[in-house]
Structure formats: C-alpha cells, structure tokens
C-alpha cells in the first residue's frame, strides 16, 4: 500500500531509519578502537573541507548569524572536537585497576536520537556525529524544520566520510520529512537507546518525558561580572567579541553585564567606545515589547540578527556603527524582558553597590532563567573567583574569557561541545560539556578480594567492655579503630 499522508510517511521513514541505524551500530560494535577512530577522523576532515559551504547554506536558510563565524563553528565542531577526543579510550576495555581488581569495559548506548536546533544546525550535526560514533553508537537526526536543507546536506557530507573510512553510512542518518509525529516516534521507539537533545526548553522537556533516557540542556542566560580589578578594556573587548560572534546564537554567550555602582560610568564609557549602544528609556521600552512574545518566550525574529536588523524591526534608530544594543535594567523576571535569554546582540546592564550584591543579583538572574548553565567573571582577584564559584548556580564559571567561546571549550580547557549540560538545578541529566564518555555505559568486571570470613572479622565488635564505655575517652575508641584498619 502506498502512503500519501505526510505524518504517516514521516513515521514510516523514522522506523526504517532506526532499523538501518541499529544494524549499522551492531556492525560498528565489532570494530576496533583504531577502526572507529578512523571513521571519526574522516568526519572531522570532511567537516573542515565543507565548513564554509555548509555555513553559507545554514545562514541563507535560517537568516541567523554570520557566515564567517558559522564557518569557525563548523571547524570547531569537527576538527576541534576530534583533537580532544581522538585519544580517548571508548571501545572495549577502557581501564584496569590492579589494586582493586576492577576492569571497566565500554558499552555503547546503541541508537541515539539527535535533535538539532536551527541556531547552530550544521556545527551541532558534525559534533554529535563525531561523539556518537566515537562512543560506538549510531545516530538518527531529527532536524529543525527551519534548517532542514543545511542539516540534510551536512548529514550527506558525513555519510560519505563514514563510507570512505570503511564504515556503514547508516551510522548517521536524518529524517527528511520532519513532523511532530516523526520526532515523537524517534524518541519513543524501543530501539532508541538515548535522546541527545539540543534546542528550545519545550523540546527538551518533551525529550525527558518520552520515557527514553535523555541528555538535554536548559536555556543559557549567563551574566558577566566586570569586577573592579579587571582589565576594563580587555574585559569589554572579550564581552563584545563574544556577544557579536555569530550574532549571539551560542547559548553560552553573555546575556547581561553587571558591575559595581561606582564603576558604572567607566564601564559604560568603555562599552560605548567599543561599539555598544545604550538605549534611551523610550527606546528600551519600545524594544522590550518586541524581544519577547506574549507567552514570555523569546521572539524568534530577533534570534541571530544584527543590531541594525533588530533596530529596524523594532522601529528604533541606532548608529550604523553600533555592534551591540544595551538596555539598563533594574529588575529580574516578568516585566523585565531584558533579564531573559536573548540569542542576539542585546545585553542587559546592571549595577550593584558591592560584590556581595552583585552575586545575589547574578543568582537571581540564573534562578529566573539559565540555572546551571554559565556565569562569567572578569577579575584579577582569585578571592573573587573563589567567592562566586562557590555561590553561583552555574555549571561553567568562566574567568577572563569570552563567555560564548569559553563555554563551549573554544577558549578554555573545557570539553569542546555544542551541548552544554546544566545539571540537576537546570533540569539536565549532566552538568558536563557533553562528549563521548556521556554516550556510553561502563561494564565493571570485579574480582573477589575477600572471603566471608574476612568480612565477619572486619565487622566484629570493638574490644571495649560495657564498664569501660561509660568512662573511656573518645581517643581510646579512635585508636582501637585505627589499629583495626591497619590490621586489615
């Protein structure tokens, strides 16, 4: 029977893709670490070769970002990720501890469902393909409909690279008829072992409620604190570079700048010198009604757009030289739209009387949106780093670096990744920058090192009689415990 209904066709396609992906993964499970690594290396090289072409496709299709910056992201997601993971042990025995007599064997998840956003479509596809295969898995992508063509082309490039390296091209595949039904079937299919979800909060919640194990990430809404000991010029440069990179589409990018009240004018002047345009109260009110939709979510019309395009859409006038739009803010939450995540070159600007109050404001921002994600601080005082690191509810505390590139591991030593976990506080299964080690299980082989007689001997009561217990000093008991442990 021939199917014509789009939903039915999409569901049938997903079932067929999963079946092929399962077979391809079973074939991969028979390969050595060297053979798997060769496939991953081939994907990395193909990603670099096609980086600019895929970046151009993504920008033209979505309207988001800047081609040159998307090219950098594609290279980062292919070669940058490969360089970090190439020496990881992910196939077969990965560790052996002779002292504890425990051997650990890597066990692939199986078939992974990869959900791809429209903000970073080609780079995320390259990155997820590499880490999935490195861990011994296959992956089936569900593309964002607004970036379908560029994602499909990226998958085509990857499949060819896999085949050239001797792998089964069905290790990586993509739904060509994306519908809500197809995505749901992909996530709930009994042969789908894990969902790797990158995208909006609604989609991530759906992944976690599917009944299939999932790794999803929450929204980023990271504040950046310019502390009084910071190199002001360099700190502002890093923030401006970060927030304008690909027009702010990386979720780790700064969403607000905060400084001490007595530093306000100096920070503001330096930001203006480097291309920040501070809105007037009237302009701020006008744009605030545009950046969020009626339901309080981010208006997609601003995502990845230049400040000139945003200003035109909001019908406000700004200088042609402006690089970032800045709105002074004094609150957090509903009624304060600049306190939300803005995947565009728009920043909120806060001031507080001292660093303790700055910390409380940053905590308030992150608890409102972005809990568990990212916080940036610019300072030369290690005590300030320590103070904020123990109090800020973020998984990434970035010091003296552009937040967008630091968060994804481009300018820091963090795992290069485009899926950034937010931990339990952010509703995520991990706080890691997700890599291959998050996409495999470990099977532990444990050898016996004691007999039951040893357990009984080690668990025998301490030789302290009841009469002594009433008067014995605590140090006597401690000494007996130490002697017991030494005898084991």
């Amino acid at each position: 029977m021939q199917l014509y209904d789009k939903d039915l066709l999409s569901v049938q396609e997903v079932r067929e893709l999963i079946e092929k992906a399962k077979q391809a993964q079973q074939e991969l499970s028979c390969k050595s670490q060297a053979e798997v690594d060769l496939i991953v290396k081939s994907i990395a090289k193909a990603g670099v070769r096609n980086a600019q072409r895929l970046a151009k496709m993504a920008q033209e299709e979505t309207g988001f970002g800047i081609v040159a910056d998307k090219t950098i992201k594609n290279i980062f997601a292919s070669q940058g990720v490969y360089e970090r993971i190439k020496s990881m042990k992910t196939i077969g025995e990965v560790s052996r501890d002779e002292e504890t007599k425990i051997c650990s064997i890597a066990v692939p998840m199986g078939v992974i469902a990869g959900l791809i956003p429209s903000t970073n479509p080609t780079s995320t596809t390259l990155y997820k393909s590499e880490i999935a295969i490195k861990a011994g898995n296959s992956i089936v992508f569900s593309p964002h409909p607004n970036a379908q063509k560029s994602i499909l082309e990226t998958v085509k490039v990857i499949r060819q690279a896999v085949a050239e390296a001797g792998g089964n091209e069905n290790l990586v595949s993509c739904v060509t008829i994306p519908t809500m039904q197809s995505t749901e079937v992909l996530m709930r299919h009994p042969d789908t072992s894990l969902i790797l979800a990158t995208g909006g909060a609604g989609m991530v919640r759906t992944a976690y409620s599917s009944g299939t194990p999932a790794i999803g990430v929450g929204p980023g809404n990271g504040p950046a604190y310019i502390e009084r000991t910071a190199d002001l010029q360099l700190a502002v440069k890093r923030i401006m570079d970060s927030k304008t990179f690909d027009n702010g589409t990386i979720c780790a990018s700064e969403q607000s700048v905060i400084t001490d009240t007595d530093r306000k004018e100096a920070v503001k002047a330096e930001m203006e010198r480097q291309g920040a345009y501070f809105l007037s109260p009237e302009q701020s009110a006008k744009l605030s009604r545009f950046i969020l939709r009626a339901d309080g979510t981010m208006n997609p019309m601003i995502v990845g757009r230049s400040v000139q395009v945003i200003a035109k859409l909001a019908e406000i006038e700004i200088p042609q030289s402006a690089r970032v739009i800045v709105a002074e803010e004094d609150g957090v939450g509903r009624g304060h739209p600049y306190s939300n995540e803005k995947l565009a070159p728009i920043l909120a600007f806060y001031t507080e009387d001292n660093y303790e109050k700055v910390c409380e404001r940053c905590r308030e921002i992150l608890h409102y949106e972005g809990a568990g994600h990212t916080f940036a601080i610019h300072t030369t005082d290690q005590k300030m780093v320590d103070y904020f690191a123990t109090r800020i509810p973020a998984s990434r505390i970035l010091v003296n670096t552009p937040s967008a590139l630091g968060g994804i591991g481009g300018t820091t030593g963090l795992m290069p990744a485009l899926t950034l976990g937010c931990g339990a506080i952010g509703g995520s299964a991990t706080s890691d920058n997700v890599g291959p080690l998050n996409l495999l299980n470990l099977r532990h082989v444990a050898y016996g090192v004691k007999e039951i007689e040893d357990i009984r001997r080690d668990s025998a009561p301490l030789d302290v009689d009841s009469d002594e217990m009433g008067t014995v000093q605590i140090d006597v008991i401690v000494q007996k415990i130490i002697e017991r442990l030494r005898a084991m």
Side-chain angles (χ1 to χ4, degrees), residues 135-155:
N137 306 293
S138 59
I139 188 164
V140 178
F141 289 115
S142 176
H144 193 290
N146 293 343
Q148 181 181 353
K149 291 180 181 178
S150 55
I151 293 170
L152 284 170
E153 182 61 24
T154 306
V155 170

mmCIF file with all atom_site columns, all heavy atoms in Angstrom, residues 135-155:
data_model
loop_
_atom_site.group_PDB
_atom_site.id
_atom_site.type_symbol
_atom_site.label_atom_id
_atom_site.label_alt_id
_atom_site.label_comp_id
_atom_site.label_asym_id
_atom_site.label_entity_id
_atom_site.label_seq_id
_atom_site.pdbx_PDB_ins_code
_atom_site.Cartn_x
_atom_site.Cartn_y
_atom_site.Cartn_z
_atom_site.occupancy
_atom_site.B_iso_or_equiv
_atom_site.pdbx_formal_charge
_atom_site.auth_seq_id
_atom_site.auth_comp_id
_atom_site.auth_asym_id
_atom_site.auth_atom_id
_atom_site.pdbx_PDB_model_num
ATOM 1   N N   . ALA A 1 135 ? 31.829 6.901  20.589 1.00 0.00 ? 135 ALA A N   1
ATOM 2   C CA  . ALA A 1 135 ? 31.370 6.066  21.704 1.00 0.00 ? 135 ALA A CA  1
ATOM 3   C C   . ALA A 1 135 ? 30.765 4.748  21.231 1.00 0.00 ? 135 ALA A C   1
ATOM 4   O O   . ALA A 1 135 ? 30.233 3.984  22.048 1.00 0.00 ? 135 ALA A O   1
ATOM 5   C CB  . ALA A 1 135 ? 30.360 6.831  22.547 1.00 0.00 ? 135 ALA A CB  1
ATOM 6   N N   . GLY A 1 136 ? 30.812 4.476  19.921 1.00 0.00 ? 136 GLY A N   1
ATOM 7   C CA  . GLY A 1 136 ? 30.334 3.196  19.399 1.00 0.00 ? 136 GLY A CA  1
ATOM 8   C C   . GLY A 1 136 ? 28.871 3.156  19.031 1.00 0.00 ? 136 GLY A C   1
ATOM 9   O O   . GLY A 1 136 ? 28.308 2.070  18.863 1.00 0.00 ? 136 GLY A O   1
ATOM 10  N N   . ASN A 1 137 ? 28.247 4.329  18.884 1.00 0.00 ? 137 ASN A N   1
ATOM 11  C CA  . ASN A 1 137 ? 26.814 4.390  18.594 1.00 0.00 ? 137 ASN A CA  1
ATOM 12  C C   . ASN A 1 137 ? 26.535 4.795  17.150 1.00 0.00 ? 137 ASN A C   1
ATOM 13  O O   . ASN A 1 137 ? 27.404 5.307  16.449 1.00 0.00 ? 137 ASN A O   1
ATOM 14  C CB  . ASN A 1 137 ? 26.144 5.432  19.508 1.00 0.00 ? 137 ASN A CB  1
ATOM 15  C CG  . ASN A 1 137 ? 26.432 5.192  20.972 1.00 0.00 ? 137 ASN A CG  1
ATOM 16  O OD1 . ASN A 1 137 ? 25.994 4.204  21.548 1.00 0.00 ? 137 ASN A OD1 1
ATOM 17  N ND2 . ASN A 1 137 ? 27.179 6.094  21.584 1.00 0.00 ? 137 ASN A ND2 1
ATOM 18  N N   . SER A 1 138 ? 25.299 4.642  16.764 1.00 0.00 ? 138 SER A N   1
ATOM 19  C CA  . SER A 1 138 ? 24.788 5.267  15.540 1.00 0.00 ? 138 SER A CA  1
ATOM 20  C C   . SER A 1 138 ? 23.853 6.386  15.978 1.00 0.00 ? 138 SER A C   1
ATOM 21  O O   . SER A 1 138 ? 23.438 6.444  17.141 1.00 0.00 ? 138 SER A O   1
ATOM 22  C CB  . SER A 1 138 ? 24.039 4.255  14.668 1.00 0.00 ? 138 SER A CB  1
ATOM 23  O OG  . SER A 1 138 ? 22.938 3.686  15.382 1.00 0.00 ? 138 SER A OG  1
ATOM 24  N N   . ILE A 1 139 ? 23.524 7.282  15.057 1.00 0.00 ? 139 ILE A N   1
ATOM 25  C CA  . ILE A 1 139 ? 22.669 8.415  15.426 1.00 0.00 ? 139 ILE A CA  1
ATOM 26  C C   . ILE A 1 139 ? 21.713 8.759  14.292 1.00 0.00 ? 139 ILE A C   1
ATOM 27  O O   . ILE A 1 139 ? 22.096 8.754  13.120 1.00 0.00 ? 139 ILE A O   1
ATOM 28  C CB  . ILE A 1 139 ? 23.525 9.647  15.822 1.00 0.00 ? 139 ILE A CB  1
ATOM 29  C CG1 . ILE A 1 139 ? 22.646 10.762 16.394 1.00 0.00 ? 139 ILE A CG1 1
ATOM 30  C CG2 . ILE A 1 139 ? 24.397 10.141 14.666 1.00 0.00 ? 139 ILE A CG2 1
ATOM 31  C CD1 . ILE A 1 139 ? 23.439 11.833 17.146 1.00 0.00 ? 139 ILE A CD1 1
ATOM 32  N N   . VAL A 1 140 ? 20.460 9.004  14.655 1.00 0.00 ? 140 VAL A N   1
ATOM 33  C CA  . VAL A 1 140 ? 19.428 9.418  13.702 1.00 0.00 ? 140 VAL A CA  1
ATOM 34  C C   . VAL A 1 140 ? 19.002 10.826 14.102 1.00 0.00 ? 140 VAL A C   1
ATOM 35  O O   . VAL A 1 140 ? 18.579 11.058 15.234 1.00 0.00 ? 140 VAL A O   1
ATOM 36  C CB  . VAL A 1 140 ? 18.213 8.476  13.725 1.00 0.00 ? 140 VAL A CB  1
ATOM 37  C CG1 . VAL A 1 140 ? 17.137 8.968  12.751 1.00 0.00 ? 140 VAL A CG1 1
ATOM 38  C CG2 . VAL A 1 140 ? 18.634 7.054  13.388 1.00 0.00 ? 140 VAL A CG2 1
ATOM 39  N N   . PHE A 1 141 ? 19.102 11.760 13.165 1.00 0.00 ? 141 PHE A N   1
ATOM 40  C CA  . PHE A 1 141 ? 18.809 13.152 13.462 1.00 0.00 ? 141 PHE A CA  1
ATOM 41  C C   . PHE A 1 141 ? 17.372 13.525 13.114 1.00 0.00 ? 141 PHE A C   1
ATOM 42  O O   . PHE A 1 141 ? 16.847 13.105 12.087 1.00 0.00 ? 141 PHE A O   1
ATOM 43  C CB  . PHE A 1 141 ? 19.744 14.084 12.689 1.00 0.00 ? 141 PHE A CB  1
ATOM 44  C CG  . PHE A 1 141 ? 21.160 14.066 13.181 1.00 0.00 ? 141 PHE A CG  1
ATOM 45  C CD1 . PHE A 1 141 ? 22.189 13.592 12.375 1.00 0.00 ? 141 PHE A CD1 1
ATOM 46  C CD2 . PHE A 1 141 ? 21.474 14.517 14.451 1.00 0.00 ? 141 PHE A CD2 1
ATOM 47  C CE1 . PHE A 1 141 ? 23.490 13.575 12.815 1.00 0.00 ? 141 PHE A CE1 1
ATOM 48  C CE2 . PHE A 1 141 ? 22.786 14.498 14.917 1.00 0.00 ? 141 PHE A CE2 1
ATOM 49  C CZ  . PHE A 1 141 ? 23.797 14.030 14.102 1.00 0.00 ? 141 PHE A CZ  1
ATOM 50  N N   . SER A 1 142 ? 16.793 14.335 13.992 1.00 0.00 ? 142 SER A N   1
ATOM 51  C CA  . SER A 1 142 ? 15.523 14.991 13.703 1.00 0.00 ? 142 SER A CA  1
ATOM 52  C C   . SER A 1 142 ? 15.847 16.468 13.528 1.00 0.00 ? 142 SER A C   1
ATOM 53  O O   . SER A 1 142 ? 16.197 17.148 14.500 1.00 0.00 ? 142 SER A O   1
ATOM 54  C CB  . SER A 1 142 ? 14.530 14.792 14.847 1.00 0.00 ? 142 SER A CB  1
ATOM 55  O OG  . SER A 1 142 ? 13.338 15.509 14.590 1.00 0.00 ? 142 SER A OG  1
ATOM 56  N N   . PRO A 1 143 ? 15.774 16.988 12.308 1.00 0.00 ? 143 PRO A N   1
ATOM 57  C CA  . PRO A 1 143 ? 16.219 18.363 12.068 1.00 0.00 ? 143 PRO A CA  1
ATOM 58  C C   . PRO A 1 143 ? 15.153 19.388 12.407 1.00 0.00 ? 143 PRO A C   1
ATOM 59  O O   . PRO A 1 143 ? 13.953 19.103 12.334 1.00 0.00 ? 143 PRO A O   1
ATOM 60  C CB  . PRO A 1 143 ? 16.488 18.363 10.561 1.00 0.00 ? 143 PRO A CB  1
ATOM 61  C CG  . PRO A 1 143 ? 15.466 17.409 10.013 1.00 0.00 ? 143 PRO A CG  1
ATOM 62  C CD  . PRO A 1 143 ? 15.332 16.318 11.069 1.00 0.00 ? 143 PRO A CD  1
ATOM 63  N N   . HIS A 1 144 ? 15.590 20.574 12.788 1.00 0.00 ? 144 HIS A N   1
ATOM 64  C CA  . HIS A 1 144 ? 14.642 21.674 12.930 1.00 0.00 ? 144 HIS A CA  1
ATOM 65  C C   . HIS A 1 144 ? 14.126 22.005 11.532 1.00 0.00 ? 144 HIS A C   1
ATOM 66  O O   . HIS A 1 144 ? 14.914 22.154 10.593 1.00 0.00 ? 144 HIS A O   1
ATOM 67  C CB  . HIS A 1 144 ? 15.340 22.894 13.544 1.00 0.00 ? 144 HIS A CB  1
ATOM 68  C CG  . HIS A 1 144 ? 14.387 23.953 14.004 1.00 0.00 ? 144 HIS A CG  1
ATOM 69  N ND1 . HIS A 1 144 ? 13.662 24.725 13.115 1.00 0.00 ? 144 HIS A ND1 1
ATOM 70  C CD2 . HIS A 1 144 ? 14.040 24.372 15.241 1.00 0.00 ? 144 HIS A CD2 1
ATOM 71  C CE1 . HIS A 1 144 ? 12.909 25.572 13.793 1.00 0.00 ? 144 HIS A CE1 1
ATOM 72  N NE2 . HIS A 1 144 ? 13.112 25.377 15.087 1.00 0.00 ? 144 HIS A NE2 1
ATOM 73  N N   . PRO A 1 145 ? 12.811 22.126 11.354 1.00 0.00 ? 145 PRO A N   1
ATOM 74  C CA  . PRO A 1 145 ? 12.261 22.376 10.009 1.00 0.00 ? 145 PRO A CA  1
ATOM 75  C C   . PRO A 1 145 ? 12.829 23.618 9.329  1.00 0.00 ? 145 PRO A C   1
ATOM 76  O O   . PRO A 1 145 ? 12.961 23.644 8.100  1.00 0.00 ? 145 PRO A O   1
ATOM 77  C CB  . PRO A 1 145 ? 10.752 22.537 10.265 1.00 0.00 ? 145 PRO A CB  1
ATOM 78  C CG  . PRO A 1 145 ? 10.511 21.781 11.529 1.00 0.00 ? 145 PRO A CG  1
ATOM 79  C CD  . PRO A 1 145 ? 11.745 21.967 12.361 1.00 0.00 ? 145 PRO A CD  1
ATOM 80  N N   . ASN A 1 146 ? 13.210 24.628 10.117 1.00 0.00 ? 146 ASN A N   1
ATOM 81  C CA  . ASN A 1 146 ? 13.735 25.865 9.537  1.00 0.00 ? 146 ASN A CA  1
ATOM 82  C C   . ASN A 1 146 ? 15.186 25.751 9.088  1.00 0.00 ? 146 ASN A C   1
ATOM 83  O O   . ASN A 1 146 ? 15.725 26.693 8.503  1.00 0.00 ? 146 ASN A O   1
ATOM 84  C CB  . ASN A 1 146 ? 13.607 27.012 10.545 1.00 0.00 ? 146 ASN A CB  1
ATOM 85  C CG  . ASN A 1 146 ? 12.170 27.378 10.819 1.00 0.00 ? 146 ASN A CG  1
ATOM 86  O OD1 . ASN A 1 146 ? 11.271 27.023 10.068 1.00 0.00 ? 146 ASN A OD1 1
ATOM 87  N ND2 . ASN A 1 146 ? 11.937 28.076 11.916 1.00 0.00 ? 146 ASN A ND2 1
ATOM 88  N N   . ALA A 1 147 ? 15.824 24.619 9.387  1.00 0.00 ? 147 ALA A N   1
ATOM 89  C CA  . ALA A 1 147 ? 17.216 24.410 8.979  1.00 0.00 ? 147 ALA A CA  1
ATOM 90  C C   . ALA A 1 147 ? 17.379 23.053 8.304  1.00 0.00 ? 147 ALA A C   1
ATOM 91  O O   . ALA A 1 147 ? 18.476 22.503 8.246  1.00 0.00 ? 147 ALA A O   1
ATOM 92  C CB  . ALA A 1 147 ? 18.137 24.520 10.183 1.00 0.00 ? 147 ALA A CB  1
ATOM 93  N N   . GLN A 1 148 ? 16.310 22.520 7.783  1.00 0.00 ? 148 GLN A N   1
ATOM 94  C CA  . GLN A 1 148 ? 16.303 21.154 7.259  1.00 0.00 ? 148 GLN A CA  1
ATOM 95  C C   . GLN A 1 148 ? 17.302 20.937 6.118  1.00 0.00 ? 148 GLN A C   1
ATOM 96  O O   . GLN A 1 148 ? 18.034 19.946 6.098  1.00 0.00 ? 148 GLN A O   1
ATOM 97  C CB  . GLN A 1 148 ? 14.894 20.783 6.792  1.00 0.00 ? 148 GLN A CB  1
ATOM 98  C CG  . GLN A 1 148 ? 14.771 19.370 6.251  1.00 0.00 ? 148 GLN A CG  1
ATOM 99  C CD  . GLN A 1 148 ? 13.359 19.052 5.768  1.00 0.00 ? 148 GLN A CD  1
ATOM 100 O OE1 . GLN A 1 148 ? 12.448 19.850 5.956  1.00 0.00 ? 148 GLN A OE1 1
ATOM 101 N NE2 . GLN A 1 148 ? 13.182 17.914 5.142  1.00 0.00 ? 148 GLN A NE2 1
ATOM 102 N N   . LYS A 1 149 ? 17.339 21.865 5.171  1.00 0.00 ? 149 LYS A N   1
ATOM 103 C CA  . LYS A 1 149 ? 18.203 21.672 3.994  1.00 0.00 ? 149 LYS A CA  1
ATOM 104 C C   . LYS A 1 149 ? 19.676 21.628 4.382  1.00 0.00 ? 149 LYS A C   1
ATOM 105 O O   . LYS A 1 149 ? 20.427 20.767 3.913  1.00 0.00 ? 149 LYS A O   1
ATOM 106 C CB  . LYS A 1 149 ? 17.947 22.785 2.983  1.00 0.00 ? 149 LYS A CB  1
ATOM 107 C CG  . LYS A 1 149 ? 16.590 22.717 2.309  1.00 0.00 ? 149 LYS A CG  1
ATOM 108 C CD  . LYS A 1 149 ? 16.417 23.853 1.309  1.00 0.00 ? 149 LYS A CD  1
ATOM 109 C CE  . LYS A 1 149 ? 15.041 23.808 0.646  1.00 0.00 ? 149 LYS A CE  1
ATOM 110 N NZ  . LYS A 1 149 ? 14.833 24.940 -0.313 1.00 0.00 ? 149 LYS A NZ  1
ATOM 111 N N   . SER A 1 150 ? 20.101 22.549 5.226  1.00 0.00 ? 150 SER A N   1
ATOM 112 C CA  . SER A 1 150 ? 21.518 22.585 5.605  1.00 0.00 ? 150 SER A CA  1
ATOM 113 C C   . SER A 1 150 ? 21.888 21.389 6.478  1.00 0.00 ? 150 SER A C   1
ATOM 114 O O   . SER A 1 150 ? 23.004 20.867 6.381  1.00 0.00 ? 150 SER A O   1
ATOM 115 C CB  . SER A 1 150 ? 21.846 23.896 6.318  1.00 0.00 ? 150 SER A CB  1
ATOM 116 O OG  . SER A 1 150 ? 21.004 24.111 7.428  1.00 0.00 ? 150 SER A OG  1
ATOM 117 N N   . ILE A 1 151 ? 20.973 20.942 7.322  1.00 0.00 ? 151 ILE A N   1
ATOM 118 C CA  . ILE A 1 151 ? 21.241 19.762 8.152  1.00 0.00 ? 151 ILE A CA  1
ATOM 119 C C   . ILE A 1 151 ? 21.335 18.509 7.279  1.00 0.00 ? 151 ILE A C   1
ATOM 120 O O   . ILE A 1 151 ? 22.248 17.686 7.450  1.00 0.00 ? 151 ILE A O   1
ATOM 121 C CB  . ILE A 1 151 ? 20.152 19.596 9.226  1.00 0.00 ? 151 ILE A CB  1
ATOM 122 C CG1 . ILE A 1 151 ? 20.230 20.748 10.243 1.00 0.00 ? 151 ILE A CG1 1
ATOM 123 C CG2 . ILE A 1 151 ? 20.296 18.254 9.949  1.00 0.00 ? 151 ILE A CG2 1
ATOM 124 C CD1 . ILE A 1 151 ? 19.063 20.812 11.202 1.00 0.00 ? 151 ILE A CD1 1
ATOM 125 N N   . LEU A 1 152 ? 20.425 18.366 6.338  1.00 0.00 ? 152 LEU A N   1
ATOM 126 C CA  . LEU A 1 152 ? 20.461 17.214 5.432  1.00 0.00 ? 152 LEU A CA  1
ATOM 127 C C   . LEU A 1 152 ? 21.744 17.199 4.608  1.00 0.00 ? 152 LEU A C   1
ATOM 128 O O   . LEU A 1 152 ? 22.331 16.134 4.376  1.00 0.00 ? 152 LEU A O   1
ATOM 129 C CB  . LEU A 1 152 ? 19.241 17.228 4.508  1.00 0.00 ? 152 LEU A CB  1
ATOM 130 C CG  . LEU A 1 152 ? 17.914 16.788 5.131  1.00 0.00 ? 152 LEU A CG  1
ATOM 131 C CD1 . LEU A 1 152 ? 16.746 17.082 4.187  1.00 0.00 ? 152 LEU A CD1 1
ATOM 132 C CD2 . LEU A 1 152 ? 17.949 15.300 5.474  1.00 0.00 ? 152 LEU A CD2 1
ATOM 133 N N   . GLU A 1 153 ? 22.199 18.365 4.167  1.00 0.00 ? 153 GLU A N   1
ATOM 134 C CA  . GLU A 1 153 ? 23.438 18.430 3.402  1.00 0.00 ? 153 GLU A CA  1
ATOM 135 C C   . GLU A 1 153 ? 24.634 18.059 4.275  1.00 0.00 ? 153 GLU A C   1
ATOM 136 O O   . GLU A 1 153 ? 25.559 17.367 3.823  1.00 0.00 ? 153 GLU A O   1
ATOM 137 C CB  . GLU A 1 153 ? 23.628 19.825 2.816  1.00 0.00 ? 153 GLU A CB  1
ATOM 138 C CG  . GLU A 1 153 ? 24.870 19.992 1.955  1.00 0.00 ? 153 GLU A CG  1
ATOM 139 C CD  . GLU A 1 153 ? 24.894 19.087 0.725  1.00 0.00 ? 153 GLU A CD  1
ATOM 140 O OE1 . GLU A 1 153 ? 23.809 18.668 0.268  1.00 0.00 ? 153 GLU A OE1 1
ATOM 141 O OE2 . GLU A 1 153 ? 26.003 18.790 0.226  1.00 0.00 ? 153 GLU A OE2 1
ATOM 142 N N   . THR A 1 154 ? 24.603 18.481 5.528  1.00 0.00 ? 154 THR A N   1
ATOM 143 C CA  . THR A 1 154 ? 25.677 18.117 6.450  1.00 0.00 ? 154 THR A CA  1
ATOM 144 C C   . THR A 1 154 ? 25.705 16.611 6.672  1.00 0.00 ? 154 THR A C   1
ATOM 145 O O   . THR A 1 154 ? 26.781 15.994 6.689  1.00 0.00 ? 154 THR A O   1
ATOM 146 C CB  . THR A 1 154 ? 25.497 18.843 7.798  1.00 0.00 ? 154 THR A CB  1
ATOM 147 O OG1 . THR A 1 154 ? 25.384 20.251 7.572  1.00 0.00 ? 154 THR A OG1 1
ATOM 148 C CG2 . THR A 1 154 ? 26.682 18.590 8.715  1.00 0.00 ? 154 THR A CG2 1
ATOM 149 N N   . VAL A 1 155 ? 24.538 16.011 6.836  1.00 0.00 ? 155 VAL A N   1
ATOM 150 C CA  . VAL A 1 155 ? 24.456 14.558 7.008  1.00 0.00 ? 155 VAL A CA  1
ATOM 151 C C   . VAL A 1 155 ? 24.975 13.844 5.765  1.00 0.00 ? 155 VAL A C   1
ATOM 152 O O   . VAL A 1 155 ? 25.667 12.820 5.868  1.00 0.00 ? 155 VAL A O   1
ATOM 153 C CB  . VAL A 1 155 ? 23.011 14.130 7.328  1.00 0.00 ? 155 VAL A CB  1
ATOM 154 C CG1 . VAL A 1 155 ? 22.859 12.613 7.264  1.00 0.00 ? 155 VAL A CG1 1
ATOM 155 C CG2 . VAL A 1 155 ? 22.608 14.627 8.712  1.00 0.00 ? 155 VAL A CG2 1
#
